[in-house]
Each structure stands twice: as structure tokens, then as C-alpha cells.
Amino acid sequence: MEKEIIDRTEKALLANGFRVKRLERKEDVKSYLMSVMKEGSSCAVGGSVSLFECDVFSLLRSGRYEFHDRYEEGVDLKEIYRRSFSVDYYLASANAITEKGELMFIDGRGNRVAAIAYGPDNVILIVSTKKICKNIRDAWLRCKRVACPKNVKRLGIDAYCAEKGECINTEFSDEDLLLGGARGCRNTICSDTLILSRQTSVKDRITVVLVEEGIGY
């Protein structure tokens, strides 16, 4: 990703009320998190390949934090999701980000988008700069053509894009952009879409960590 585009995206995010931290490498993510997350604080995560690839879970499971681990064997997932609304820090990623400083998320269950939209007072989003798109339309197409097909394969979900590698709807007319693909797709993971255009409810609530390395989907 060109530095000029990253710079423009960072400025737009700041103008939209988000905090921004730029990191060159995925190896820098853990040390950054340790510098901002107080020891003993509670935390939870949304489903995220980026967090795994940055080795964030070794930090969260180290005993340094009170981690409500959705991946722990035998846990009550519904209870974990509910607790996630009141933790000190919620960590996740975004499916796409625009040069105008907008963030896009697509969920199957809605637990991640709900917590990000109105949940913990501190949300930290670990997002690769490879996810930067020119506008909302391009961000949506990235989700449907890149992120969602890869996620359904990873999760073993029997959805159309797992088999075909593309969304069931290849037209994506402007009139039907958001709904396109969810209708008629068995076991769709595109049930809940969140677009954050501005952060105003709690000052500095959401921090976007731009990682200048290819991570996640």
C-alpha cells in the first residue's frame, strides 16, 4: 500500500474522531498493547485472524489480564459475548477501511459489531493497511470477494462462497449493494453489517492500529 494512501487514511480517521496508531510490523502489536492496556484489566476479543497472526492471544492468556476467552474449550459462548460488553478492552479487526476514514464490519451473529458499536469504553482494532479501499463501495466489494469467502472456508461453513470463492451475487448494483448476497445464500455469514463513519459517543473510545504489513483477511 502506498504511503500517500496510508497517510490520507490516517488523517481521515483522526478527523472522524478515531485514535490512530501506526505500526510497521505485526511483531510490534503485542508491545503496543502492553503499553496501553493496564495489567489486571479485563478484556475480550471478536473473531479475528489478524489477532492470531499478531500472536495477541499469547499475551492475553499470559495471566497479565482477566481474559474472557471465547476460544477456551467448554465455555458458554453466549455468556462470553455478553461479558464482552463490559470489559475494559475489546480487541478485534475490521473487514475493510476506506480512505475517507470509515470502517466496515460484517458479522454472522452480530456479537462483534454490537460490542464495537456500543460496548466497552476501549475498543482496539488491529487492521492491516492492505484492507484500505478507496470508498464504501470498494470496501463492500472487498468484504464480499475477499474477506467473506476466506472466512467461511476457515470456519467450515457450508455457504455459497466457500465452494465458489465468490459471493452468490456478482452484480452488486448500487441499489442492492448491502443486501446483495445475503438473500438466497444458505448459511450466510453476512447477516449484520456495521459501518463506522465517525466516533462521537465517548472520546478516544476506538483506536485503530494500522499495521503496515499484510495480516488477516
Side-chain angles (χ1 to χ4, degrees):
M1 183 63 64
E2 297 178 10
K3 182 179 182 300
E4 179 183 350
I5 295 176
I6 301 174
D7 290 345
R8 181 161 60 245
T9 302
E10 179 182 8
K11 290 179 181 178
L13 285 165
L14 291 169
N16 291 345
F18 301 102
R19 298 181 67 181
V20 181
K21 176 67 177 180
R22 280 172 67 166
L23 300 174
E24 291 186 2
R25 308 174 306 151
K26 63 183 180 181
E27 288 82 8
D28 299 327
V29 171
K30 283 199 299 183
S31 58
Y32 168 72
L33 292 176
M34 289 180 65
S35 72
V36 297
M37 295 172 58
K38 296 180 180 179
E39 188 170 355
S41 58
S42 59
C43 55
V45 301
S48 170
V49 171
S50 296
L51 296 184
F52 278 106
E53 293 185 352
C54 292
D55 195 29
V56 169
F57 287 91
S58 67
L59 172 63
L60 301 183
R61 292 167 176 161
S62 66
R64 182 182 179 91
Y65 306 102
E66 180 190 339
F67 180 34
H68 300 282
D69 192 348
R70 57 179 286 169
Y71 297 106
E72 184 179 348
E73 185 176 354
V75 298
D76 184 339
L77 270 179
K78 184 179 288 188
E79 181 62 25
I80 291 290
Y81 293 158
R82 287 173 174 166
R83 290 179 186 174
S84 297
F85 277 83
S86 58
V87 294
D88 297 315
Y89 296 93
Y90 188 79
L91 282 67
S93 188
N95 298 110
I97 183 172
T98 75
E99 293 180 33
K100 295 182 179 180
E102 301 152 317
L103 298 157
M104 178 173 276
F105 310 80
I106 299 181
D107 271 11
R109 295 179 177 175
N111 56 285
R112 178 183 61 145
V113 299
I116 291 171
Y118 194 82
D121 286 341
N122 295 285
V123 175
I124 301 176
L125 303 173
I126 312 298
V127 189
S128 171
T129 55
K130 76 173 184 179
K131 296 183 179 183
I132 296 176
C133 303
K134 187 172 184 59
N135 51 44
I136 283 292
R137 180 181 177 82
D138 286 354
W140 179 255
L141 294 179
R142 183 192 187 281
C143 291
K144 304 298 283 187
R145 293 173 176 170
V146 179
C148 293
K150 288 185 177 181
N151 272 313
V152 294
K153 283 188 177 181
R154 173 179 63 89
L155 298 170
I157 296 173
D158 182 25
Y160 179 91
C161 63
E163 176 185 356
K164 301 295 184 179
E166 63 180 10
C167 185
I168 195 170
N169 181 357
T170 58
E171 297 296 330
F172 293 108
S173 64
D174 288 340
E175 294 79 8
D176 200 30
L177 190 60
L178 292 180
L179 286 177
R183 296 179 301 185
C185 177
R186 65 185 186 278
N187 303 321
T188 180
I189 64 168
C190 301
S191 301
D192 303 282
T193 300
L194 171 67
I195 299 173
L196 294 179
S197 58
R198 190 167 180 81
Q199 178 56 43
T200 56
S201 58
V202 179
K203 181 177 173 55
D204 295 333
R205 175 176 176 264
I206 297 178
T207 299
V208 180
V209 180
L210 293 175
V211 181
E212 298 178 31
E213 188 174 359
I215 55 171
Y217 298 154

